[in-house]
Amino acid sequence: MGLNGTPRFEAGLIKAVLFDLDGTLLDTIADLAAAANLMRNELGLADLPLARISSFVGKGADVLVHRTMTDDADGQLEAAAFKTARASFDRHYTEQNGLTAQPYPGVLEGLEKLRAAGLPMACVTNKPQAFTDPLLERQGLSRYFEHVLGGDALARKKPDPMPLLHLAGLFGLAPAHCLMVGDSVNDAQAARAAGMPVLLVPYGYNEGLDVAGIDSDGIVSSLEQAALMVCSSK
């Protein structure tokens, strides 16, 4: 399915919706980049361009720190250097988290439509729980979600299916009756492994890749469009 197309799943079977956070619900890259560059500066390195840091986002804070400190998508710091860098990033991101973040167009409209239709929702992200909860609260989004699962809440994070399966269990639903909405290959792979349908938005981060090349059940222009697809069958 392309933009504004028909999803490759039966919308009437969807009983709950799961959302990724960074790049799906909220545009957080400016805050993440500010914290990453403050970390680099503190440790004697120059700033990286925002677009470069954007391509490093998606697999959680640990990977972001390794990537931004080495300026390499596959870069790995030594253990001691990583510990120092991660502590610096956490300190700076605690201050930057939510300062400039904004919901993408259609997010609030989509969440309102789903809530009005009586569909329970969850947020599942690779962002650490300690950053996720205050960010959703500051943006006024926490009220929409029955469950919020950060990247360090369980033993494994996306693209592993564990977080999605855990949430389906909390809702008391089979994975096939939940819909994952995200912006990246991590969301799509987690959903596929969980046996859960997945829609992707084209405006997120996705480590610099084009979502059109990812195996999913469709690309939607906004969360409002995703909501309309699901709610049309209710």
Side-chain angles (χ1 to χ4, degrees), residues 107-118:
V107 165
L108 295 177
E109 294 85 350
L111 295 177
E112 285 290 347
K113 282 181 170 61
L114 291 168
R115 183 163 68 171

Side-chain angles (χ1 to χ4, degrees), residues 54-65:
S54 177
S55 73
F56 291 155
V57 172
K59 287 190 165 62
D62 283 357
V63 174
L64 179 62
V65 168

